[in-house]
Amino acid sequence: MNRTTIAGWTAALALVTASPALHAQAPATIDPRIAELLDAVSEDRLRANVEGLASFQTRSTLSSVDRPDFGIGAARQWILDEMRNYSPRLQVSFDTYVAPAGGRIPEPTELRNVMAVLPGRSDRRIYVSGHYDTVARAEEQLTSGNRFDNPAPGANDDGSGTALTMELARVFAQSGIEFDATLVFIALAGEEQGLVGAALHAQQARENDVRIDAVFNNDIVGNIHGGNGAVDGWTIRVFSEGPEDSYSRQLARFIRRTGALYMPSHRVRLIAREDRFGRGGDHTPFHQLGFAAVRFTESKENYDRQHTVRDTPDGVHAPYLARNARVNAAGVATLALAPPAPVVMAGGSNPMLTRQPSGYDARLRWEASPGAAGYRIFWREAWGVDWEHELYVGDVTEFVLRDISIDDYIFGVAAVGPNGHESLVSAYVRPPRAPVRIEPVR
């Protein structure tokens, strides 16, 4: 519906001016289908997945591929077979590449991501991921023969994220819910060699114009005992790269919003940086190519059990891993049931935001999202890091906030489906100015 709404919302806007936090629509309510989906997450299955992955002794990208119960070859086949058994709705296959020699890869090496696709009504994709390869520091390995066959159990790094990905593939495929978005559950390879499997997949997706709306990457999400003695089984960190209104930051905010609704006892702590200081994860190649991507990581890490032979299943706390899986599931399900986010940048680069009609107002315009029943607008002071105010404005594609300066506030809009599920927020972002260079008269 292409119309500007001003007069019809005079009373609502007066209330917003008096009380900026007021909502014109009741906050989102719990969808019983999503609640049931969260209840289906099994601690026992998560524990069994972690133990199964660690049983291959090593999952080094460069380990043996021809032994039936040892090394990365056996591990990836086991992941593939497990996910194929979950449901005929899942399309499970290897996503195969040959990584060139260089860096941490001494010779050209075949990499196989394991991918399970749950088709939705649309081609837009939402990913859940973890990396299944492992590594252990050389000084702790029992060097004999192929040194890449030395022990590297990787129960938490990243057996925990892989186990979570596998469990959510099962739960979503068996839920019977028809999602608008296509869901992809992917166990990535080559992370420990420089995010290689993720980078190759992301590059191929970009080259083929695959629409990826979000990547929920899970890496080290199962331990509650920090190496300094701290214990925290009720917080999960979500890392996202800037700038402040990047697609990845919007995804992080969305995850905290849905997590607070479905898992209020489990704190989602947003970290405004790409990853842990000086470290990296498989979400980064996706973010660098313009896809919304974040990393989930446990609250208290134990570095003595990362990249060591001591990263064994007894260091993974299944109840905590299950809570993290449910936070993932709440965000994935909500986003997959919602319409796509509205387009707010004309031609992909110019924000549809003006000062009309008075010259001192905020006039927001956006393109209609397929399947949307209405829209919610958001704003915050330009120095703020999270949305401070929101207002449901109904089935319109323009809205005016009177006497609110577009210089002083950041604005965004989300699409709301007929079932109340909400998309990511599309922010009105001014592109950076081109550098000014003036040649002096000589």
Side-chain angles (χ1 to χ4, degrees), residues 227-283:
N228 60 355
V231 179
D232 185 353
W234 300 97
T235 305
I236 183 68
R237 293 180 294 170
V238 176
F239 291 82
S240 61
E241 179 68 295
E244 287 177 347
D245 288 290
S246 69
Y247 291 120
S248 297
R249 288 279 165 85
Q250 301 302 349
L251 177 57
R253 293 171 182 135
F254 178 89
I255 290 166
R256 181 162 68 177
R257 185 179 178 93
T258 55
L261 179 64
Y262 286 94
M263 291 288 294
S265 64
H266 203 66
R267 180 188 177 203
V268 175
R269 184 179 170 214
L270 303 187
I271 309 294
R273 59 169 27 125
E274 174 193 355
D275 209 311
R276 290 87 42 78
F277 199 82
R279 303 181 73 178
D282 281 330
H283 59 302

Side-chain angles (χ1 to χ4, degrees), residues 389-419:
H389 319 296
E390 59 185 78
L391 183 70
Y392 181 77
V393 297
D395 187 15
V396 297
T397 54
E398 299 184 11
F399 197 83
V400 173
L401 292 170
R402 291 190 180 277
D403 298 320
I404 295 184
S405 169
I406 65 173
D407 301 318
D408 297 346
Y409 291 85
I410 305 295
F411 301 90
V413 60
V416 182
N419 49 20

Side-chain angles (χ1 to χ4, degrees), residues 278-302:
R279 303 181 73 178
D282 281 330
H283 59 302
T284 294
F286 290 94
H287 171 86
Q288 290 173 335
L289 292 177
F291 301 118
V294 301
R295 173 183 179 141
F296 290 79
T297 295
E298 64 202 25
S299 176
K300 304 299 180 184
E301 295 183 73
N302 185 342

Side-chain angles (χ1 to χ4, degrees), residues 102-302:
R104 302 174 197 170
I105 299 180
E107 59 187 29
T109 300
E110 182 183 73
L111 298 183
R112 295 187 189 180
N113 302 322
V114 189
M115 186 166 66
V117 178
L118 182 62
R121 291 187 297 267
S122 72
D123 291 333
R124 65 188 183 98
R125 290 184 166 197
I126 297 169
Y127 278 56
V128 180
S129 66
H131 73 87
Y132 72 96
D133 63 304
T134 64
V135 70
R137 290 195 286 265
E139 63 268 22
E140 295 184 339
Q141 294 180 345
L142 307 175
T143 304
S144 176
N146 177 9
R147 65 186 178 90
F148 300 111
D149 282 348
N150 286 316
N156 195 32
D157 182 12
D158 185 31
S160 61
T162 303
L164 182 155
T165 299
M166 294 171 65
E167 176 62 358
L168 291 194
R170 182 190 71 83
V171 167
F172 276 76
Q174 294 178 3
S175 70
I177 302 172
E178 184 181 8
F179 296 97
D180 182 71
T182 292
L183 302 180
V184 179
F185 304 91
I186 187 165
L188 295 160
E191 194 269 355
E192 301 291 6
Q193 281 66 47
L195 320 180
V196 181
L200 290 168
H201 184 90
Q203 288 166 201
Q204 185 178 78
R206 176 55 68 202
E207 290 166 3
N208 293 336
D209 293 322
V210 175
R211 177 172 178 175
I212 300 177
D213 278 4
V215 177
F216 292 65
N217 183 52
N218 292 268
D219 194 348
I220 311 180
V221 289
N223 164 65
I224 66 172
H225 297 281
N228 60 355
V231 179
D232 185 353
W234 300 97
T235 305
I236 183 68
R237 293 180 294 170
V238 176
F239 291 82
S240 61
E241 179 68 295
E244 287 177 347
D245 288 290
S246 69
Y247 291 120
S248 297
R249 288 279 165 85
Q250 301 302 349
L251 177 57
R253 293 171 182 135
F254 178 89
I255 290 166
R256 181 162 68 177
R257 185 179 178 93
T258 55
L261 179 64
Y262 286 94
M263 291 288 294
S265 64
H266 203 66
R267 180 188 177 203
V268 175
R269 184 179 170 214
L270 303 187
I271 309 294
R273 59 169 27 125
E274 174 193 355
D275 209 311
R276 290 87 42 78
F277 199 82
R279 303 181 73 178
D282 281 330
H283 59 302
T284 294
F286 290 94
H287 171 86
Q288 290 173 335
L289 292 177
F291 301 118
V294 301
R295 173 183 179 141
F296 290 79
T297 295
E298 64 202 25
S299 176
K300 304 299 180 184
E301 295 183 73
N302 185 342

Side-chain angles (χ1 to χ4, degrees), residues 43-83:
E43 293 178 15
D44 290 340
R45 283 183 173 271
L46 286 165
R47 186 181 294 108
N49 286 345
V50 170
E51 291 172 351
L53 289 162
S55 72
F56 296 102
Q57 300 180 57
T58 180
R59 303 187 304 279
S60 167
T61 301
L62 305 170
S63 62
S64 297
V65 298
D66 54 0
R67 296 171 61 177
D69 57 358
F70 179 94
I72 196 166
R76 65 196 182 199
Q77 186 64 49
W78 178 79
I79 297 169
L80 183 90
D81 293 341
E82 286 290 306
M83 292 203 291

